[in-house]
Amino acid sequence: MFWRMMRGRFVHAGKKLLLIALTIALGASLFTAMINVLLGVGDKVNAELKTYGANITIIPREASLLDELYGFSDTRTHEASFPEEELRHIKEIFWGHNITAYAPFYSSWVTVNEDSKPYRLQGSWFSHSMKLNSGELFTTGLKTMKQWWKIEGNTPEEGCQEAMLGYEAASELGLAPGDTIRLKGEVATADLRVSGILSSGSEDDRAIFTNLETAQELGGERGRITRVEVSALTTPDNDLARKAARNPKSLSLKEWEAWYCTAYVSAVTYQLEDAMAGVAAKPVRQVAESEGAILDKVQSLMTMIALLSMAGSAFGISNLVTTSVMERSSEIGLMKAIGAHNRSVVHVVLSEIMLTGLLGGLVGYPVGLIFTQLIGKTVFASNIDFAPMAIPLVLVMVLLVSVLGSVPAIRLLTSLRPSDVLHGR
């Protein structure tokens, strides 16, 4: 009997139920898109932010101690260094797959073309490929990490005697791409061709960049580096991460496992220090905290849009269902007159709306997946992975919206009296 009533209702009130289904489909599509973006936006936002610089710096432990004790930072004295061979351990840590790029540096001071004014020389990798223990080919360097740099000309090629000048240094020295300069370091001299002029909006505009090997030779320290800048995909800090950052030994065994197995920036730095000898790994707090703040705001925005889509669908359904109940008041009054209780009438109407809502959800979910990819392509220039968790969430949303949207109509139909309805009052 129940299913006969449902079939008859869907046949005779098709247009009204179609509007309800479309309303729920629209809400479900927006909700699906926002939930998928919300669950997949973390790595996308972090990946976007990684193009604007490193969030971890690795320096020699002795340099870290001097900085903490005496506040030494960028002096013109000889800098501490550590073996370049330690770089191979960076991608071997537990969270090595989260390290998207890194660049080693050898820093020293040089004079240019017999000028007595010292300039900062930064030797690094610009585009360096290596084979990892897993067999994967990994390409990294400043081209990957400093994508916002504006370069007139080209970066130095590996194996070539070339240099790239910051635009302030180039202006002071009156140099342009194609010119040749002589750099005099602590123990050696080298003639280099200017391959490009760099504009970064930072102190790098006063520096000179060259290949790592060339800088090491000028400083007399082959196979040594003074720091490494690392870009890693990390999870925003919470209370556990902040507690671990202060003192990892204060964690209980359960807390330790949760912290170590989560990509907090403090967990990544701890693992880097453990894997590499004689170094201190420090998070760049401004970058790490900004990433967390931006991610929280983006996730809050997605959550708000998802909730608003639910509210909009509920209001739309409320109006449609209330109108439908008013149009069916004679039918409902007759059902009550022949002995139907309020519970039975509510069950019939609510079942009708929930079935309609599920049909709308079946249409809205795939449409929402299309919206998800449109957002991914438009905002992040890449696809956003489908989140299986979104399916039960969308189902709950459809059922919840169907029930909430039906509340005003249910209150109306329970208040209907058969005598009033059947007599036209």
Side-chain angles (χ1 to χ4, degrees), residues 244-306:
R246 290 191 296 269
N247 182 14
K249 294 181 180 180
S250 66
L251 301 178
S252 66
L253 180 59
K254 186 176 181 180
E255 289 176 330
W256 173 274
E257 291 176 349
W259 168 72
Y260 194 88
C261 295
T262 306
Y264 298 119
V265 68
S266 55
V268 177
T269 56
Y270 179 88
Q271 293 169 23
L272 287 170
E273 289 184 351
D274 191 48
M276 303 172 68
V279 305
K282 297 181 175 295
V284 182
R285 280 295 168 192
Q286 296 91 333
V287 175
E289 290 172 1
S290 295
E291 288 176 356
I294 292 172
L295 184 57
D296 287 343
K297 290 178 181 178
V298 172
Q299 290 177 332
S300 296
L301 177 61
M302 297 298 104
T303 303
M304 186 178 298
I305 294 175

Side-chain angles (χ1 to χ4, degrees), residues 399-416:
L399 296 177
L400 188 61
V401 166
S402 299
V403 172
L404 292 177
S406 302
V407 168
I410 290 172
R411 294 181 62 184
L412 175 62
L413 70 86
T414 55
S415 66
L416 288 175

Side-chain angles (χ1 to χ4, degrees), residues 28-334:
S29 63
L30 292 175
F31 188 83
T32 299
M34 292 305 103
I35 290 297
N36 277 285
V37 172
L38 177 65
L39 296 175
V41 75
D43 288 346
K44 298 296 181 183
V45 171
N46 278 330
E48 288 290 318
L49 292 173
K50 290 299 161 287
T51 64
Y52 296 100
N55 56 347
I56 296 173
T57 301
I58 302 173
I59 59 176
R61 186 166 293 136
E62 56 191 283
S64 175
L65 290 173
L66 286 173
D67 184 48
E68 290 175 0
L69 292 173
Y70 304 108
F72 291 169
S73 54
D74 185 16
T75 65
R76 296 188 182 184
T77 59
H78 183 78
E79 294 188 38
S81 61
F82 61 94
E84 183 181 342
E85 63 184 19
E86 294 296 323
L87 294 174
R88 63 188 175 88
H89 299 300
I90 292 179
K91 291 288 287 183
E92 296 175 356
I93 65 172
F94 180 82
W95 285 110
H97 64 281
N98 274 41
I99 294 176
T100 58
Y102 66 86
F105 289 85
Y106 181 84
S107 300
S108 62
W109 294 88
V110 296
T111 56
V112 183
N113 294 341
E114 308 300 332
D115 193 328
S116 60
K117 181 178 179 179
Y119 287 88
R120 186 73 158 173
L121 179 68
Q122 302 275 25
S124 186
W125 295 339
F126 292 89
S127 182
H128 181 80
S129 297
M130 67 190 80
K131 195 170 186 178
L132 305 178
N133 291 338
S134 62
E136 175 189 359
L137 186 65
F138 179 64
T139 301
T140 187
L142 294 181
K143 283 186 176 180
T144 303
M145 296 185 60
K146 310 281 188 178
Q147 296 182 27
W148 74 92
W149 276 2
K150 295 179 181 179
I151 300 173
E152 178 190 348
N154 300 296
T155 58
E157 296 290 337
E158 282 198 2
C160 298
Q161 293 293 93
E162 296 180 333
M164 180 174 67
L165 277 62
Y167 87 93
E168 291 186 17
S171 298
E172 291 176 0
L173 295 166
L175 296 171
D179 293 341
T180 300
I181 58 174
R182 171 162 292 186
L183 300 183
K184 183 177 180 181
E186 294 184 26
V187 299
T189 302
D191 292 325
L192 307 178
R193 188 183 73 87
V194 177
S195 64
I197 305 298
L198 161 70
S199 177
S200 68
S202 67
E203 61 182 10
D204 291 336
D205 292 338
R206 297 190 57 80
I208 299 172
F209 289 83
T210 188
N211 292 304
L212 183 61
E213 297 81 2
T214 302
Q216 290 169 338
E217 289 177 3
L218 289 170
E221 290 191 292
R222 287 191 178 186
R224 307 285 293 184
I225 53 179
T226 55
R227 79 179 190 280
V228 186
E229 293 185 2
V230 180
S231 285
L233 296 174
T234 57
T235 300
D237 282 355
N238 57 12
D239 291 338
L240 175 61
R242 286 186 281 270
K243 180 180 178 181
R246 290 191 296 269
N247 182 14
K249 294 181 180 180
S250 66
L251 301 178
S252 66
L253 180 59
K254 186 176 181 180
E255 289 176 330
W256 173 274
E257 291 176 349
W259 168 72
Y260 194 88
C261 295
T262 306
Y264 298 119
V265 68
S266 55
V268 177
T269 56
Y270 179 88
Q271 293 169 23
L272 287 170
E273 289 184 351
D274 191 48
M276 303 172 68
V279 305
K282 297 181 175 295
V284 182
R285 280 295 168 192
Q286 296 91 333
V287 175
E289 290 172 1
S290 295
E291 288 176 356
I294 292 172
L295 184 57
D296 287 343
K297 290 178 181 178
V298 172
Q299 290 177 332
S300 296
L301 177 61
M302 297 298 104
T303 303
M304 186 178 298
I305 294 175
L307 294 176
L308 288 174
S309 70
M310 287 182 61
S313 297
F315 280 121
I317 293 171
S318 176
N319 291 331
L320 291 170
V321 176
T322 302
T323 303
S324 176
V325 168
M326 292 176 66
E327 291 175 351
R328 298 170 59 193
S329 59
S330 297
E331 175 189 339
I332 294 170
L334 182 59

